[in-house]
Amino acid sequence: MKTGGATGAPSPGLLFCAVPERGRVYLKPNNGRRPGVFLPNYIVFTPEIHQPLEQEAETYWHPAERPLQARSSGWIVNFCADADDYRDALQHLKRRCGSVPVFNRPDAVLQTARDRVTSLLEGIPGLVLPKCLRFSPLLPEDFENVFARGGFSYPVLIRPTGSQTGFGLVKVDSPAEWEKIFSIDWAGREIYMTQFVDMRDEAGLHCKVRTAFINRQPFFRHAFSSPDPIVRTLPRTAESMDKEIEFLAGLERRPAVRALVAALAERVRLNFWGIDIGIGTGDSFLFFEATAAMSITQAYSTQEEHDRLFPVLLEPIHQALSAAVGSPASWDCWAKPSGHGKQGLDREKAQH
């Protein structure tokens, strides 16, 4: 594998990587061997996709002493998936990539910052977009000041920029709960304040569906329901897995859902990304987040989940992603007609 400091003839492809702006990386255990370095909010491929890329392309790390010669590459895969952690790197790539085919173009990634993506999605029928503001607190009272100036009402969600999943997330339900901010690392950081919206389904539960998009094609990844408004991944039973597949198959048949995913595929012009949507009553949907850093390709945690869910939900995603990454000519897919109203998997057939 060639690296950013290598010499010789240019590679036909380029893998664009960067160190997070805060300089924070993590060490991850590796089955008793030396821990590996883990970079937050990177695009996550399967090893079967990633390893051939490393063999076929040069890897460039930003920032680097050697200037980025992006326009001399045949194609570029951009691994920087978060608009906050990699803002400078994405802007650098945007200025230099020109018309070279880029998998997940940097300008599209930059548009997915939590305080920007809502304006990108405005006007989609049935989709509720909670207010979100970014600010840099210096003192604890700055949180309440932003709350008042922004016209928020209780509850609100507070999280540092660059935070995915539920890490660093707190829910402030009343004026007496602002002390919760001291449980997160906010000193010297930018913070998001998001209006909490209580949307429940017909069963009175908070339901969250994750949908992956690969070259405009939608694929349901999973669905979870919980009485807790902060919906997290839950252990699955054989019965719950059958219900999950049946529920997603039903969503796929609903005209409002098909219209929703078709609109999302047009608005967010990334080749590989995911979105979490809450399912309300009727044809109402709640936006949670949209990001190229979303956990999509990871394997299931148990063998039972793998055996039941992988062929129906995850294997079609792996196959479509492999085909998309291997075809740079497909990356500008918005310039071509698309069958984006059709889901990329047939669950009813898989169930039988």
Side-chain angles (χ1 to χ4, degrees):
M1 178 183 72
K2 298 179 181 178
T3 63
T7 60
S11 169
L14 180 75
L15 310 185
F16 183 81
C17 303
V19 176
E21 291 195 6
R22 297 184 70 225
R24 177 176 291 182
V25 297
Y26 303 90
L27 293 179
K28 186 175 182 179
N30 190 15
N31 295 325
R33 300 192 297 273
R34 179 180 297 178
V37 175
F38 171 72
L39 290 153
N41 293 327
Y42 253 40
I43 192 171
V44 180
F45 292 145
T46 63
E48 293 76 14
I49 296 174
H50 197 145
Q51 290 170 3
L53 282 175
E54 289 189 319
Q55 296 170 1
E56 297 169 6
E58 176 183 15
T59 300
Y60 181 92
W61 283 91
H62 175 85
E65 295 180 358
R66 181 173 66 84
L68 174 62
Q69 303 294 335
R71 300 186 190 201
S72 64
S73 301
W75 48 264
I76 301 170
V77 174
N78 168 36
F79 280 86
C80 300
D82 183 80
D84 296 312
D85 272 343
Y86 302 99
R87 188 185 312 168
D88 179 69
L90 291 165
Q91 291 173 343
H92 185 74
L93 178 59
K94 178 182 176 181
R95 290 191 297 267
R96 296 176 180 271
C97 64
S99 60
V100 175
V102 180
F103 190 90
N104 278 4
R105 293 192 69 86
D107 50 328
V109 178
L110 287 165
Q111 288 183 315
T112 61
R114 290 180 186 271
D115 59 334
R116 295 187 62 188
V117 70
T118 50
S119 62
L120 190 67
L121 304 180
E122 283 180 346
I124 296 179
L127 183 61
V128 175
L129 301 166
K131 180 190 308 180
C132 179
L133 292 180
R134 180 203 302 258
F135 64 105
S136 300
L138 298 177
L139 299 170
E141 51 263 37
D142 291 340
F143 287 82
E144 292 185 75
N145 292 337
V146 169
F147 178 91
R149 289 198 309 269
F152 288 93
S153 59
Y154 293 102
V156 291
L157 303 174
I158 308 292
R159 71 197 312 157
T161 59
S163 168
Q164 305 294 343
T165 68
F167 182 77
L169 173 67
V170 296
K171 179 168 169 275
V172 178
D173 292 290
S174 72
E177 293 193 359
W178 284 108
E179 63 184 19
K180 288 182 177 180
I181 65 172
F182 295 110
S183 67
I184 62 178
D185 176 19
W186 57 266
R189 298 190 65 177
E190 290 185 310
I191 297 294
Y192 285 125
M193 183 178 294
T194 305
Q195 181 64 62
F196 174 77
V197 176
D198 190 346
M199 182 178 287
R200 303 168 190 251
D201 62 13
E202 282 81 357
L205 298 175
H206 300 274
C207 177
K208 183 173 71 173
V209 173
R210 177 162 296 181
T211 305
F213 288 82
I214 302 169
N215 279 358
R216 298 172 68 187
Q217 296 296 326
F219 299 82
F220 287 133
R221 173 61 171 81
H222 63 240
F224 289 111
S225 295
S226 169
D228 188 334
I230 309 299
V231 184
R232 305 182 190 277
T233 302
L234 303 172
R236 290 177 171 98
T237 64
E239 181 182 10
S240 70
M241 286 188 280
D242 288 342
K243 288 183 176 179
E244 184 176 356
I245 292 173
E246 182 180 0
F247 174 74
L248 292 176
L251 280 185
E252 189 175 339
R253 293 190 293 267
R254 286 173 55 179
V257 174
R258 298 173 75 89
L260 173 67
V261 297
L264 292 169
E266 291 301 313
R267 302 285 187 94
V268 182
R269 298 198 163 198
L270 288 165
N271 302 101
F272 180 46
W273 63 286
I275 188 169
D276 283 343
I277 295 289
I279 306 298
T281 57
D283 290 331
S284 59
F285 310 98
L286 176 63
F287 172 77
F288 285 112
E289 65 174 327
T291 175
M294 194 166 282
S295 299
I296 295 173
T297 61
Q298 284 86 339
Y300 294 103
S301 56
T302 69
Q303 187 64 45
E304 291 77 11
E305 289 177 324
H306 175 86
D307 292 344
R308 182 66 182 99
L309 299 178
F310 180 82
V312 184
L313 301 178
L314 195 51
E315 187 175 24
I317 293 175
H318 286 189
Q319 292 175 346
L321 182 59
S322 179
V325 173
S327 179
S330 73
W331 297 351
D332 188 19
C333 53
W334 293 271
K336 308 175 183 65
S338 170
H340 54 262
K342 179 181 183 297
Q343 283 285 340
L345 49 93
D346 186 347
R347 291 182 187 79
E348 289 187 273
K349 181 179 180 180
Q351 290 180 76
H352 296 89

